[in-house]
Amino acid sequence: MTEAIRNGHADETRTAMSCAIIRRAFLDHVFHTQGKLPGHAGPNDLYQALAHTVRDRLVQRWISTSEAYLGQPSRTVAYLSAEFLVGPHLGNNLVNLGIYDEVQAAMHSLGLDLDDILRQEDEPGLGNGGLGRLAACFMDSLATLEIPALGYGIRYEYGIFHQAIVDGVQVEQTDSWLRRGNPWEIQRAEWTVEVRLGGHTEHYTDEHGCYRVRWVPAKTVAGVPFDSPILGYRVNTVNTLRLWRAEATEAFDFPTFNRGDYLGAVSKKVTSENLTKVLYPNDETQQGKELRLEQQYFFVACSLRDMLRLLAADGMPVRRFHEKFAIQLNDTHPAIGIAELMRLLVDEHDVPWDEAWAITCQSFAYTNHTLLPEALEQWPLPLFSRVLPRHLEILLEINARFLDEVRIRFYGDSARLTRLSLIDEHGERHVRMTNLACVGSHAINGVAALHSRLMREDVLKDFFDMWPEKFTSITNGVTPRRWLALSNPRLSKLVCEAIGKDWISDAERLHALEPLADDAGFRHLWQAVRRENKLDLAQLVRQSTGMVVDPASMFDVMVKRIHEYKRQHLAVLHIIALYHRIKCDPDADIVPRTFLFGGKAAPGYQYAKLMIRFITSVADVVNRDPQVRDRLKVVFLPNFNVTCGQRIYPAADLSEQISLAGKEASGTGNMKFAMNGALTIGTLDGANIELRDAIGADNFFDFGLSVPQVQALREDGYDASACYRGNAELRAVMDLIRQGFFSHGDATRFDLLFDEQLRHDPYFLLADFASYVDCQRQASAAFSDPARWQRMSVLSCARSGWFSSDRAIREYCDRIWKVKAVPVRLLHRASGAPRHAEAAAHAGGKP
Ligand SMILES: *Cc1c(COP(=O)(O)O)cnc(C)c1O
């Protein structure tokens, strides 16, 4: 034990940030927390000890933050999201605490390598892709901007599956990220809540003659909160990410137990815990699975109960709920919260319906993330009624009142009523979660300018006609802490030396780099850094695939979930076109490229899985053809996640953002690449449009159909086979595939991908092919001129600052949440008389 603790000193000596004290604290944790002599500590012991050392340095700020939030008048943001793809915590906390160098030195003094230790952390894969990652960037920005906020979600025991590639095919393995324990979470058993599910309702009149409803559930489940600290950059604010785990309300079902059925009694516990067992691995599609609806309701019900507890701790009545909380729905996954808050207010707190509705609408705001119809959530009515019988009644009451309003506003327009109804009456009846989210929220936002426009004109047009004032657009962003300062230390150092380090919390200051784009000396340093990053990535490629790639070649990178609309297969058609050129003319002048792909396919999404097989099949042929002479290399990097993203984005030369125009809501990968100095080849889709505007059309390779052109083609009748007939190179490419050239002569293997393409081509692959290939030619030409390329690369980074999630969060604060910063003063003693119960309500120490 350190002297400070033995002597009962205040916390500050024990948790000081100097190299020497960090070193001593680390050794203490190896001994006392891990129970090892330093000489016997394994890699995980070292990681755990360092994580605890850093956590100790967060706790004082965490407690100070909850004290500062208690009773303060600002609203608290409650960010509700079924996914938080936070990535590894340790490195990020070092950056945000400002002790990266001290810790590195402390480890070095013990003969340890900090990078090795950082690599030990299993990232919490509690999300599928962009949506979950956005929630994580937003949590970072909220803390950095000192906004009182709580993230609420689900503590999945198994996160997104681990992807292995075996014989060119995706194989899913379970992700047991908790198996070695999670040093970042604190279980708060005392704030456990009970959640009801299923059963039926009973209607009666109470002793005051009031009409009442009683919900008699079929089962109850306990929700136990696990809190993780989210530290802002160089501030005292530590917000809380509160994730709920389902447990049995009684570990033993005593009646059954007493009958002697011990295992039967325990099995109930197992069933309850299934609720938060696993993350559904579908990105941008929804399946009407009962367990998924239960998950959604479970975490929302827990979170709302938690907010009511915090409200009471602040001495405020439930009728002032909306003055205390601004609830943001990250897509419709938590939209059931609208019905749940109504139930809590009306059934449990006797608030009259109209007042409850006003409170609810003022509390909720909804972010739409997709225009894809298959991603809009709908629940079959019988399923919904089985899981949430009381909520169905409430929903129908909301609907009846809403439709009455519509009838008067849009006199005689019955088609509109059908479209706006919360219930889809076509065929089997469904509950429309999007409609519920729109009706119950005071603000609705899209995530990029184009997406918000299409949302108003298309998917949510009827709601826009009804309430134009509810609609707004807030373009997504990414945090420059994780995605530049942490993931690209070499470039960050160079940038800091050139313009100082204010950009880390004020990314628009990156603009100061602009003049340096014309400074040959600076460009030289820039290129050297980027080359080092490419060497690092080449090493990762070698470790995970055994392949050797040339860091002098252009790193042409497409990493993101595998989707038809994202069009990974278009990128492969280009590779085949280049290959074909080499085969026709072995000395063709081709700029050497390494094509890197990464991304998971949903396990049940056959089309996406076949796309992976297509990529790996083409890779097999191209990589071993001696005539290619290593001018083309195709790599599929397995298991793309935040951890490997941090090594990929900084090493890319070219960023592939090639979705069909009108399909990608925003994209955030595009922003991470640009911030790290990669140039973009992209369609005019999602936030690519704003990215191109910011970086300058001269520094952006755009191609392909625009949204109006896609619309026009659809209306005039699009003939994909005409594109095929009219373009010799495309014909050659398609014929190779359909002759089985990439499938050992099996001419049918990729039929699912390309027969459909030739007939209907719903994602306009063939229509965009020529423009894409031509644009790639321009990218190659630019790459052959290093001065020109590096200049564009510097400008890309310099002009990417607007895409910081800090800017996005400021817009949410001003336009939707109406919240302001609440700076946190560090409490200098962890002492003081124990206060009771709710004092540490937001987070922090034991009462
Ligand atoms: C940023 C990110 C995404 C989103 O990428 P897009 O290119 O915007 O689809 C998905 N997964 C991970 C791990 C990410 O870091």
Side-chain angles (χ1 to χ4, degrees), residues 302-356:
C302 291
S303 307
L304 283 167
R305 279 283 296 278
D306 199 56
M307 288 179 235
L308 289 178
R309 175 181 62 81
L310 293 167
L311 192 69
D314 256 0
M316 287 170 73
V318 291
R319 289 179 137 113
R320 295 178 60 193
F321 184 89
H322 56 289
E323 294 172 31
K324 182 70 195 164
F325 288 105
I327 303 178
Q328 192 66 32
L329 302 173
N330 194 23
D331 211 318
T332 57
H333 316 141
I336 188 62
I338 291 166
E340 172 67 0
L341 183 57
M342 285 301 286
R343 189 189 69 78
L344 288 165
L345 293 173
V346 173
D347 289 358
E348 300 198 353
H349 291 274
D350 298 342
V351 179
W353 181 279
D354 288 332
E355 189 184 350

Side-chain angles (χ1 to χ4, degrees), residues 85 129-130 133 483 559-560 566 640-642 649 657 667-669 672:
L85 192 53
R133 185 52 233 174
W483 294 115
V559 289
K560 49 181 74 246
K566 291 182 184 274
F640 175 61
N641 60 7
V642 174
Y649 294 111
Q657 308 299 334
T668 48
K672 300 173 210 164

